[in-house]
Amino acid sequence: MPSRKVEAIARLLKEQILAGRYAPGSRLPTYDALMEQFGVTRPTVVRVLDTLREEGLLTVKGQRKVFVTQRFPHHDRYVWVTSEQPGSNEWSLFLAITHEVIERGETGITGQVSALVGVDGRANNPEYKQLCEFEARGSAAGLLLVNSAMIYLLPVLQKPGLPRVAIGAPLPHANLVALDFAGLIDRASARLLEKGRRIAVMSPHAPKLAAAQECLEGYGLHPDRVLTVHAAPIGCERLTELMFDRRSRPDAIFVMDDNLVPPLLAGLERAKVKAGEDVYVLAHCNWPRPLGMAEGVEHIGFDVREVLCAGKDLIDAQRAGAPCPSRLVPARFLGELTRPLSTATDAAVEEKTVHP
């Protein structure tokens, strides 16, 4: 643990660097000059500089040449935080695709975006310790927090600190980036009614099924022409096959959870029905990684890049002291994306990527 003297000098030198006394890329004074300035020994100066280097404020060239970094992490490092981790029951496609986009550097954010995954609040949890260090040192521009019961209870987030944005639902001391699910259902319902008059809606979530049925009926579709199917990924293939082994088979399907797309397509294949030709299929997706596009599925969903950029904008507004009301991210069809699909992997994710 650094001594109080090291911490105090490091804090003072950090303030001078961030205030512009030493410009980005400039060389710091020599060790001897720093020893004289602060009245300390050489080992103390070494520990001070090591502390600031760990924060990303300094770089070392050679043995004794110490320079201020060109870009401060305090200004352009954004940290995405989730308590879930790959393989857990709550590790959704939204989380998996967001994490993949961050790891591949495809967020569209100018600056550094890093991910802390599996943050659970235990003192020996490495990700939680790193989050605490970001807060204690102020060594990030802000936090992008994926709302969960665990994140809500993390001790380090109980007080105001770094600028914060909650993704999905409100959190204390954070602005909100919400997803417009009501708008998604409304726009999807309107598109479905352009494509068919007997519509099936599939989801593992009963409230979403009820909301979709209400919306479709609100547009004038008779209740007898709406089939709601409460389905999980396991069993969805067989349910889809049975749905087409009946006289009143649907001519349009709304898949409200992208986890259902692969088994739905397998069920259509078993029923010898082709998506996009024999039946219109509209599926929720997380752009830029839609599932089933090559198989004839159309998509509507939220772009995780747009979500991250909206969070970054709110963090920057907080840092500037500007008003930063909550942001509502709209659902988009392919032609409406603010950032196009640029590669083949954007259009079709291999299942092993999102289902490890």
Side-chain angles (χ1 to χ4, degrees), residues 320-343:
C324 43
S326 298
R327 293 279 291 273
L328 186 64
V329 176
R332 299 189 186 276
F333 289 98
L334 174 61
E336 301 168 343
L337 296 179
T338 59
R339 294 169 178 80
L341 304 187
S342 58
T343 66

PDB file of all heavy atoms in Angstrom, residues 320-343:
ATOM      1  N   ALA A 320     -19.308  18.021 -18.303  1.00  0.00           N
ATOM      2  CA  ALA A 320     -19.308  19.422 -18.708  1.00  0.00           C
ATOM      3  C   ALA A 320     -20.272  20.268 -17.897  1.00  0.00           C
ATOM      4  O   ALA A 320     -20.345  21.483 -18.087  1.00  0.00           O
ATOM      5  CB  ALA A 320     -19.652  19.532 -20.197  1.00  0.00           C
ATOM      6  N   GLY A 321     -21.030  19.634 -16.995  1.00  0.00           N
ATOM      7  CA  GLY A 321     -22.007  20.365 -16.208  1.00  0.00           C
ATOM      8  C   GLY A 321     -23.224  20.793 -16.998  1.00  0.00           C
ATOM      9  O   GLY A 321     -23.956  21.699 -16.593  1.00  0.00           O
ATOM     10  N   ALA A 322     -23.473  20.128 -18.124  1.00  0.00           N
ATOM     11  CA  ALA A 322     -24.613  20.470 -18.978  1.00  0.00           C
ATOM     12  C   ALA A 322     -25.824  19.636 -18.589  1.00  0.00           C
ATOM     13  O   ALA A 322     -25.694  18.561 -17.986  1.00  0.00           O
ATOM     14  CB  ALA A 322     -24.260  20.222 -20.445  1.00  0.00           C
ATOM     15  N   PRO A 323     -27.033  20.084 -18.920  1.00  0.00           N
ATOM     16  CA  PRO A 323     -28.231  19.275 -18.663  1.00  0.00           C
ATOM     17  C   PRO A 323     -28.122  17.946 -19.402  1.00  0.00           C
ATOM     18  O   PRO A 323     -27.685  17.899 -20.556  1.00  0.00           O
ATOM     19  CB  PRO A 323     -29.367  20.135 -19.226  1.00  0.00           C
ATOM     20  CG  PRO A 323     -28.822  21.524 -19.268  1.00  0.00           C
ATOM     21  CD  PRO A 323     -27.351  21.393 -19.531  1.00  0.00           C
ATOM     22  N   CYS A 324     -28.511  16.870 -18.748  1.00  0.00           N
ATOM     23  CA  CYS A 324     -28.403  15.554 -19.390  1.00  0.00           C
ATOM     24  C   CYS A 324     -29.622  14.713 -19.032  1.00  0.00           C
ATOM     25  O   CYS A 324     -29.554  13.839 -18.169  1.00  0.00           O
ATOM     26  CB  CYS A 324     -27.113  14.841 -19.006  1.00  0.00           C
ATOM     27  SG  CYS A 324     -26.677  14.945 -17.248  1.00  0.00           S
ATOM     28  N   PRO A 325     -30.768  15.003 -19.651  1.00  0.00           N
ATOM     29  CA  PRO A 325     -31.966  14.217 -19.388  1.00  0.00           C
ATOM     30  C   PRO A 325     -31.804  12.785 -19.873  1.00  0.00           C
ATOM     31  O   PRO A 325     -30.888  12.475 -20.647  1.00  0.00           O
ATOM     32  CB  PRO A 325     -33.044  14.953 -20.199  1.00  0.00           C
ATOM     33  CG  PRO A 325     -32.294  15.642 -21.280  1.00  0.00           C
ATOM     34  CD  PRO A 325     -30.971  16.027 -20.675  1.00  0.00           C
ATOM     35  N   SER A 326     -32.685  11.923 -19.422  1.00  0.00           N
ATOM     36  CA  SER A 326     -32.628  10.521 -19.832  1.00  0.00           C
ATOM     37  C   SER A 326     -32.779  10.403 -21.344  1.00  0.00           C
ATOM     38  O   SER A 326     -33.425  11.230 -21.996  1.00  0.00           O
ATOM     39  CB  SER A 326     -33.728   9.730 -19.133  1.00  0.00           C
ATOM     40  OG  SER A 326     -33.545   9.758 -17.734  1.00  0.00           O
ATOM     41  N   ARG A 327     -32.183   9.354 -21.897  1.00  0.00           N
ATOM     42  CA  ARG A 327     -32.263   9.102 -23.335  1.00  0.00           C
ATOM     43  C   ARG A 327     -33.076   7.843 -23.579  1.00  0.00           C
ATOM     44  O   ARG A 327     -32.914   6.833 -22.875  1.00  0.00           O
ATOM     45  CB  ARG A 327     -30.866   8.929 -23.915  1.00  0.00           C
ATOM     46  CG  ARG A 327     -30.010  10.183 -23.880  1.00  0.00           C
ATOM     47  CD  ARG A 327     -30.325  11.124 -25.020  1.00  0.00           C
ATOM     48  NE  ARG A 327     -29.896  10.558 -26.287  1.00  0.00           N
ATOM     49  CZ  ARG A 327     -28.664  10.687 -26.793  1.00  0.00           C
ATOM     50  NH1 ARG A 327     -27.746  11.377 -26.111  1.00  0.00           N
ATOM     51  NH2 ARG A 327     -28.344  10.166 -27.951  1.00  0.00           N
ATOM     52  N   LEU A 328     -33.941   7.877 -24.589  1.00  0.00           N
ATOM     53  CA  LEU A 328     -34.737   6.725 -24.982  1.00  0.00           C
ATOM     54  C   LEU A 328     -34.256   6.278 -26.359  1.00  0.00           C
ATOM     55  O   LEU A 328     -34.393   7.002 -27.341  1.00  0.00           O
ATOM     56  CB  LEU A 328     -36.222   7.088 -25.025  1.00  0.00           C
ATOM     57  CG  LEU A 328     -37.203   5.941 -25.295  1.00  0.00           C
ATOM     58  CD1 LEU A 328     -37.161   4.922 -24.146  1.00  0.00           C
ATOM     59  CD2 LEU A 328     -38.624   6.480 -25.469  1.00  0.00           C
ATOM     60  N   VAL A 329     -33.668   5.089 -26.431  1.00  0.00           N
ATOM     61  CA  VAL A 329     -33.127   4.584 -27.686  1.00  0.00           C
ATOM     62  C   VAL A 329     -34.244   3.900 -28.466  1.00  0.00           C
ATOM     63  O   VAL A 329     -34.901   3.000 -27.948  1.00  0.00           O
ATOM     64  CB  VAL A 329     -31.974   3.594 -27.426  1.00  0.00           C
ATOM     65  CG1 VAL A 329     -31.466   2.993 -28.725  1.00  0.00           C
ATOM     66  CG2 VAL A 329     -30.837   4.303 -26.688  1.00  0.00           C
ATOM     67  N   PRO A 330     -34.480   4.304 -29.716  1.00  0.00           N
ATOM     68  CA  PRO A 330     -35.580   3.731 -30.487  1.00  0.00           C
ATOM     69  C   PRO A 330     -35.216   2.386 -31.101  1.00  0.00           C
ATOM     70  O   PRO A 330     -34.043   2.079 -31.343  1.00  0.00           O
ATOM     71  CB  PRO A 330     -35.820   4.783 -31.580  1.00  0.00           C
ATOM     72  CG  PRO A 330     -34.461   5.369 -31.804  1.00  0.00           C
ATOM     73  CD  PRO A 330     -33.791   5.385 -30.450  1.00  0.00           C
ATOM     74  N   ALA A 331     -36.250   1.592 -31.372  1.00  0.00           N
ATOM     75  CA  ALA A 331     -36.064   0.358 -32.140  1.00  0.00           C
ATOM     76  C   ALA A 331     -35.921   0.725 -33.612  1.00  0.00           C
ATOM     77  O   ALA A 331     -36.563   1.647 -34.099  1.00  0.00           O
ATOM     78  CB  ALA A 331     -37.250  -0.566 -31.932  1.00  0.00           C
ATOM     79  N   ARG A 332     -35.090  -0.032 -34.331  1.00  0.00           N
ATOM     80  CA  ARG A 332     -34.813   0.286 -35.729  1.00  0.00           C
ATOM     81  C   ARG A 332     -34.884  -0.953 -36.611  1.00  0.00           C
ATOM     82  O   ARG A 332     -34.479  -2.048 -36.198  1.00  0.00           O
ATOM     83  CB  ARG A 332     -33.436   0.929 -35.866  1.00  0.00           C
ATOM     84  CG  ARG A 332     -33.284   2.235 -35.096  1.00  0.00           C
ATOM     85  CD  ARG A 332     -31.973   2.923 -35.443  1.00  0.00           C
ATOM     86  NE  ARG A 332     -31.732   4.108 -34.630  1.00  0.00           N
ATOM     87  CZ  ARG A 332     -32.226   5.317 -34.890  1.00  0.00           C
ATOM     88  NH1 ARG A 332     -33.007   5.487 -35.951  1.00  0.00           N
ATOM     89  NH2 ARG A 332     -31.954   6.352 -34.099  1.00  0.00           N
ATOM     90  N   PHE A 333     -35.398  -0.739 -37.842  1.00  0.00           N
ATOM     91  CA  PHE A 333     -35.259  -1.732 -38.891  1.00  0.00           C
ATOM     92  C   PHE A 333     -33.887  -1.545 -39.544  1.00  0.00           C
ATOM     93  O   PHE A 333     -33.195  -0.539 -39.310  1.00  0.00           O
ATOM     94  CB  PHE A 333     -36.373  -1.566 -39.931  1.00  0.00           C
ATOM     95  CG  PHE A 333     -37.737  -1.977 -39.446  1.00  0.00           C
ATOM     96  CD1 PHE A 333     -38.645  -1.032 -38.984  1.00  0.00           C
ATOM     97  CD2 PHE A 333     -38.114  -3.311 -39.458  1.00  0.00           C
ATOM     98  CE1 PHE A 333     -39.900  -1.399 -38.538  1.00  0.00           C
ATOM     99  CE2 PHE A 333     -39.373  -3.700 -39.009  1.00  0.00           C
ATOM    100  CZ  PHE A 333     -40.274  -2.739 -38.554  1.00  0.00           C
ATOM    101  N   LEU A 334     -33.511  -2.498 -40.384  1.00  0.00           N
ATOM    102  CA  LEU A 334     -32.184  -2.486 -40.998  1.00  0.00           C
ATOM    103  C   LEU A 334     -31.873  -1.163 -41.692  1.00  0.00           C
ATOM    104  O   LEU A 334     -30.798  -0.590 -41.498  1.00  0.00           O
ATOM    105  CB  LEU A 334     -32.067  -3.645 -41.999  1.00  0.00           C
ATOM    106  CG  LEU A 334     -30.782  -3.701 -42.830  1.00  0.00           C
ATOM    107  CD1 LEU A 334     -29.565  -3.865 -41.936  1.00  0.00           C
ATOM    108  CD2 LEU A 334     -30.856  -4.844 -43.839  1.00  0.00           C
ATOM    109  N   GLY A 335     -32.814  -0.667 -42.497  1.00  0.00           N
ATOM    110  CA  GLY A 335     -32.561   0.537 -43.273  1.00  0.00           C
ATOM    111  C   GLY A 335     -32.498   1.805 -42.457  1.00  0.00           C
ATOM    112  O   GLY A 335     -32.178   2.875 -42.999  1.00  0.00           O
ATOM    113  N   GLU A 336     -32.771   1.709 -41.156  1.00  0.00           N
ATOM    114  CA  GLU A 336     -32.803   2.891 -40.298  1.00  0.00           C
ATOM    115  C   GLU A 336     -31.580   3.013 -39.388  1.00  0.00           C
ATOM    116  O   GLU A 336     -31.489   3.951 -38.608  1.00  0.00           O
ATOM    117  CB  GLU A 336     -34.062   2.857 -39.424  1.00  0.00           C
ATOM    118  CG  GLU A 336     -35.351   2.806 -40.225  1.00  0.00           C
ATOM    119  CD  GLU A 336     -36.562   2.478 -39.364  1.00  0.00           C
ATOM    120  OE1 GLU A 336     -36.368   1.977 -38.229  1.00  0.00           O
ATOM    121  OE2 GLU A 336     -37.684   2.708 -39.833  1.00  0.00           O
ATOM    122  N   LEU A 337     -30.662   2.067 -39.484  1.00  0.00           N
ATOM    123  CA  LEU A 337     -29.513   2.076 -38.589  1.00  0.00           C
ATOM    124  C   LEU A 337     -28.664   3.323 -38.810  1.00  0.00           C
ATOM    125  O   LEU A 337     -28.422   3.737 -39.942  1.00  0.00           O
ATOM    126  CB  LEU A 337     -28.647   0.837 -38.805  1.00  0.00           C
ATOM    127  CG  LEU A 337     -29.293  -0.517 -38.477  1.00  0.00           C
ATOM    128  CD1 LEU A 337     -28.302  -1.646 -38.760  1.00  0.00           C
ATOM    129  CD2 LEU A 337     -29.754  -0.572 -37.037  1.00  0.00           C
ATOM    130  N   THR A 338     -28.222   3.924 -37.710  1.00  0.00           N
ATOM    131  CA  THR A 338     -27.359   5.099 -37.814  1.00  0.00           C
ATOM    132  C   THR A 338     -25.931   4.706 -38.151  1.00  0.00           C
ATOM    133  O   THR A 338     -25.157   5.528 -38.622  1.00  0.00           O
ATOM    134  CB  THR A 338     -27.365   5.889 -36.493  1.00  0.00           C
ATOM    135  OG1 THR A 338     -26.916   5.034 -35.424  1.00  0.00           O
ATOM    136  CG2 THR A 338     -28.778   6.378 -36.173  1.00  0.00           C
ATOM    137  N   ARG A 339     -25.591   3.450 -37.905  1.00  0.00           N
ATOM    138  CA  ARG A 339     -24.286   2.908 -38.279  1.00  0.00           C
ATOM    139  C   ARG A 339     -24.533   1.642 -39.066  1.00  0.00           C
ATOM    140  O   ARG A 339     -25.104   0.689 -38.543  1.00  0.00           O
ATOM    141  CB  ARG A 339     -23.432   2.614 -37.041  1.00  0.00           C
ATOM    142  CG  ARG A 339     -23.051   3.863 -36.274  1.00  0.00           C
ATOM    143  CD  ARG A 339     -22.437   3.529 -34.930  1.00  0.00           C
ATOM    144  NE  ARG A 339     -22.038   4.725 -34.233  1.00  0.00           N
ATOM    145  CZ  ARG A 339     -22.877   5.511 -33.544  1.00  0.00           C
ATOM    146  NH1 ARG A 339     -24.157   5.195 -33.470  1.00  0.00           N
ATOM    147  NH2 ARG A 339     -22.443   6.595 -32.933  1.00  0.00           N
ATOM    148  N   PRO A 340     -24.109   1.590 -40.311  1.00  0.00           N
ATOM    149  CA  PRO A 340     -24.464   0.448 -41.163  1.00  0.00           C
ATOM    150  C   PRO A 340     -23.775  -0.835 -40.727  1.00  0.00           C
ATOM    151  O   PRO A 340     -22.783  -0.816 -39.988  1.00  0.00           O
ATOM    152  CB  PRO A 340     -23.980   0.883 -42.551  1.00  0.00           C
ATOM    153  CG  PRO A 340     -22.868   1.856 -42.268  1.00  0.00           C
ATOM    154  CD  PRO A 340     -23.277   2.581 -41.018  1.00  0.00           C
ATOM    155  N   LEU A 341     -24.308  -1.949 -41.190  1.00  0.00           N
ATOM    156  CA  LEU A 341     -23.622  -3.225 -41.013  1.00  0.00           C
ATOM    157  C   LEU A 341     -22.470  -3.242 -41.999  1.00  0.00           C
ATOM    158  O   LEU A 341     -22.667  -3.147 -43.201  1.00  0.00           O
ATOM    159  CB  LEU A 341     -24.566  -4.396 -41.295  1.00  0.00           C
ATOM    160  CG  LEU A 341     -25.860  -4.432 -40.473  1.00  0.00           C
ATOM    161  CD1 LEU A 341     -26.600  -5.735 -40.744  1.00  0.00           C
ATOM    162  CD2 LEU A 341     -25.577  -4.312 -38.993  1.00  0.00           C
ATOM    163  N   SER A 342     -21.256  -3.373 -41.494  1.00  0.00           N
ATOM    164  CA  SER A 342     -20.094  -3.156 -42.354  1.00  0.00           C
ATOM    165  C   SER A 342     -19.397  -4.431 -42.789  1.00  0.00           C
ATOM    166  O   SER A 342     -18.626  -4.421 -43.732  1.00  0.00           O
ATOM    167  CB  SER A 342     -19.081  -2.258 -41.641  1.00  0.00           C
ATOM    168  OG  SER A 342     -18.694  -2.841 -40.409  1.00  0.00           O
ATOM    169  N   THR A 343     -19.651  -5.542 -42.104  1.00  0.00           N
ATOM    170  CA  THR A 343     -18.943  -6.771 -42.443  1.00  0.00           C
ATOM    171  C   THR A 343     -19.910  -7.926 -42.512  1.00  0.00           C
ATOM    172  O   THR A 343     -21.059  -7.847 -42.083  1.00  0.00           O
ATOM    173  CB  THR A 343     -17.870  -7.108 -41.389  1.00  0.00           C
ATOM    174  OG1 THR A 343     -18.525  -7.426 -40.145  1.00  0.00           O
ATOM    175  CG2 THR A 343     -16.913  -5.951 -41.167  1.00  0.00           C
TER     176      THR A 343
END
